[in-house]
Amino acid sequence: MNKQQMLKGIQDGEERLLFAKVLDQVTFALKRYEVQFSDFMDMAKCERFLQRLNNVADLDVLAFGGVEDAERMILGFAPKQACICQEIFPISALQIAPKNKKFGQTDLSHRDYLGSILGLGIERGKVGDILVSEDGAACFVSEEMAEYIQTNLEKVSKTTVTVKMVDKAHILSPKRTELRRVTVASMRLDAILGEALRLSRGKAQTLISGEKVNVNWGVVTSTSYILKTGDMVSARGFGRFRVGEIGGRTKKDRIGLELEVYI
């Protein structure tokens, strides 16, 4: 494996540094015949790294974030003869809840939980998804940091909290989807984005040109980008959806389309 060749074309300095570390872990896994794990990263980086690692001989790579449909994942690397599965990923789950619900804040956000955890001096790469609910939040973290967070996290924003480790297998993603059947003039990104998230065509185009829209976890800035079945689309601050089955044309020459919208 030629490390410099693998790094070629990565312009972002932070991403290049992260992938260089990943490649070192891959090398270690192959030489020592041991499973290695990266830090948490967003799905866009995961996708790009997986594409670059696809052609590495004798290597198995698996991505997992602790829960189905996780948006932040860890990459696991192992020689093809070794066993790598979700169960061995070094991910712990923490349940964070207000100590006194009567006097605690009821509107704690993802940002509140993340900020309080990072405020303990923990790196962002050690924290995965934070699933916020009415009762608190479930947080996936690197196994090595779980006990430290449990011991030291006393407040989220101004609310005193309790933290306990729980079995990550028992945490279900609160993400729910709604199947919508729509008709669109074309499979252009701006047209479908507006229809799926109930935005005006102009608003959809502004989000796309403003680099706030991802397709399959990568930023797309072309409003005329053509979507296809299976594509995952997200607009920062507005939601996400998956493109479903594409049907035939209507009498008005519009395309019938199924969208799985996360609600």
Side-chain angles (χ1 to χ4, degrees):
M1 182 181 69
N2 187 320
K3 183 176 178 179
Q4 292 307 313
Q5 186 65 31
M6 295 283 282
L7 290 168
K8 191 175 181 181
I10 301 179
Q11 302 298 325
D12 181 82
E14 183 180 344
E15 184 167 329
R16 185 181 177 88
L17 189 63
L18 179 58
F19 192 48
K21 184 178 178 182
V22 163
L23 292 176
D24 287 340
Q25 291 172 308
V26 168
T27 300
F28 190 91
L30 293 174
K31 284 186 175 180
R32 299 292 185 89
Y33 201 74
E34 294 180 8
V35 180
Q36 293 289 304
F37 299 96
S38 72
D39 283 342
F40 283 98
M41 64 186 79
D42 62 58
M43 278 304 305
K45 290 186 180 69
C46 269
E47 285 290 311
R48 291 194 288 272
F49 292 176
L50 285 169
Q51 289 175 6
R52 288 176 178 262
L53 294 171
N54 270 341
N55 296 323
V56 177
D58 300 321
L59 180 71
D60 270 343
V61 186
L62 182 64
F64 183 56
V67 69
E68 185 180 354
D69 286 338
E71 295 181 3
R72 288 178 62 78
M73 314 276 271
I74 282 176
L75 293 178
F77 320 102
K80 284 191 178 295
Q81 300 83 357
C83 177
I84 184 169
C85 58
Q86 294 179 351
E87 287 72 22
I88 67 172
F89 272 66
I91 298 173
S92 293
L94 299 174
Q95 190 70 49
I96 307 171
K99 193 169 185 177
N100 189 326
K101 292 183 180 180
K102 185 177 180 180
F103 298 105
Q105 290 175 259
T106 58
D107 59 348
L108 292 173
S109 67
H110 181 282
R111 180 178 294 182
D112 292 325
Y113 287 101
L114 178 61
S116 297
I117 292 171
L118 298 185
L120 298 176
I122 293 170
E123 296 177 0
R124 183 67 178 98
K126 302 300 181 183
V127 184
D129 279 17
I130 300 174
L131 310 179
V132 180
S133 68
E134 293 179 357
D135 300 322
C139 179
F140 294 95
V141 300
S142 175
E143 201 173 67
E144 65 188 284
M145 301 307 305
E147 186 175 348
Y148 178 80
I149 296 171
Q150 184 182 23
T151 302
N152 292 281
L153 183 63
E154 298 178 346
K155 284 189 175 183
V156 173
S157 187
K158 298 178 182 179
T159 299
T160 302
V161 296
T162 60
V163 185
K164 64 178 181 179
M165 292 193 200
V166 293
D167 187 344
K168 60 179 178 288
H170 294 161
I171 296 179
L172 300 177
S173 171
K175 301 181 181 72
R176 295 180 295 137
T177 60
E178 173 184 282
L179 187 63
R180 295 180 192 165
R181 292 180 174 85
V182 301
T183 61
V184 291
S186 75
M187 293 300 295
R188 283 172 53 120
L189 175 58
D190 57 352
I192 298 176
L193 182 68
E195 191 68 44
L197 302 183
R198 295 178 175 143
L199 306 170
S200 69
R201 188 75 171 264
K203 181 62 175 179
Q205 291 174 339
T206 298
L207 289 172
I208 295 166
S209 60
E211 299 185 356
K212 294 183 178 179
V213 176
N214 286 4
V215 178
N216 298 327
W217 302 283
V219 175
V220 173
T221 56
S222 171
T223 56
S224 60
Y225 182 92
I226 300 300
L227 295 174
K228 62 184 184 302
T229 296
D231 282 346
M232 177 67 80
V233 183
S234 63
R236 195 183 311 160
F238 290 88
R240 62 182 179 133
F241 63 92
R242 189 185 301 275
V243 179
E245 183 179 348
I246 302 171
R249 295 265 178 180
T250 67
K251 291 181 180 179
K252 295 184 178 181
D253 200 33
R254 290 175 66 86
I255 302 169
L257 181 63
E258 286 187 350
L259 299 172
E260 184 184 7
V261 182
Y262 287 75
I263 57 176

